[in-house]
Amino acid sequence: MAEDLTTSKARADLAVAYADLALAQGRSQQVAACLDSTAKAVETIRAAQDARHAQRVNVADTVTSLVRVLLDAGEDVAAEQYARVAVDMLRPAASRNPAKRTELARALLQHAAALERVGSSRKIEVISEAIALRSQLAEEDPSPQAQDALDLALHFRGHMLRRIGDDMAQDLKGASVSAGAALAAPRKAPCPCGSGRRYKRCCGRSPS
């Protein structure tokens, strides 16, 4: 069984590499075929590892590569689904092995990007988790690379919040409401920080 799983992972890695190459060459049919082959190999491994006593094979890196190519190919829904799979795979490993936290942070950022593509409100929640993890890593590792990774995550969240603000402003601009109602509406909207509370009860709260 272990040899079969290792072979499946090798096949998945090869298929996603071919998909990346085909995408660069503009061969859409080959991209679709390679991505389908990768997804099937990943699902084979996941199903086998759900079985009792199955040997664990680290396929999270294959899944994150698959997500990257899916995003590049514009397959946003599939990318979001597999990004969630990668995060679910890495979360237990990160709790046991601190070295896996960097991989989890990268997967969370990738998931946030996929959620942004499909227009999900969960993107702020996910990117905030990635930032919290990146902050811990930057404190433990003061290298420029760790700080750059944190800065990238912060920049991405800022981009998301700006887009939310632009969408809210556009909705208000197009609505036939009075000026007073227009001013009140954003404070009644969900807070863009992702807390789940209304803006006026969270970030829009007046200082005491």
Side-chain angles (χ1 to χ4, degrees), residues 118-180:
V118 299
S120 171
S121 60
R122 285 198 61 233
K123 60 190 178 184
I124 299 299
E125 172 191 341
V126 174
I127 191 63
S128 296
E129 183 181 355
I131 288 171
L133 189 51
R134 284 293 188 192
S135 296
Q136 293 176 11
L137 293 169
E139 288 178 3
E140 297 167 9
D141 175 17
S143 68
Q145 292 83 356
Q147 187 59 52
D148 287 346
L150 174 59
D151 290 343
L152 174 63
L154 289 167
H155 176 78
F156 191 24
R157 183 174 65 176
H159 165 75
M160 288 180 176
L161 292 174
R162 283 193 298 274
R163 286 199 60 177
I164 290 173
D166 289 345
D167 290 344
M168 290 174 64
Q170 188 63 34
D171 289 344
L172 287 173
K173 184 177 180 180
S176 299
V177 294
S178 65

Side-chain angles (χ1 to χ4, degrees), residues 6-89:
T6 303
T7 302
S8 294
K9 175 172 167 39
R11 189 186 317 118
D13 287 335
L14 185 61
V16 78
Y18 275 126
D20 206 5
L21 178 62
L23 184 63
Q25 296 175 346
R27 296 181 291 157
S28 57
Q29 290 185 339
Q30 286 83 352
V31 172
C34 291
L35 290 176
D36 183 61
S37 179
T38 306
K40 286 179 179 177
V42 168
E43 293 304 326
T44 297
I45 295 171
R46 291 181 66 205
Q49 292 187 154
D50 285 339
R52 192 176 181 180
H53 304 310
Q55 180 175 342
R56 309 304 293 180
V57 174
N58 181 16
V59 72
D61 58 337
T62 305
V63 178
T64 54
S65 296
L66 172 61
V67 173
R68 177 180 54 77
V69 179
L70 285 168
L71 286 171
D72 289 345
E75 299 290 341
D76 300 335
V77 174
E80 191 280 320
Q81 292 171 347
Y82 278 102
R84 195 177 341 124
V85 167
V87 169
D88 290 343
M89 285 180 170

Side-chain angles (χ1 to χ4, degrees), residues 99-116:
K100 290 290 182 182
R101 289 182 299 164
T102 299
E103 292 183 46
L104 176 58
R106 190 179 303 117
L108 284 166
L109 189 62
Q110 201 176 50
H111 190 201
L115 288 168
E116 167 85 345

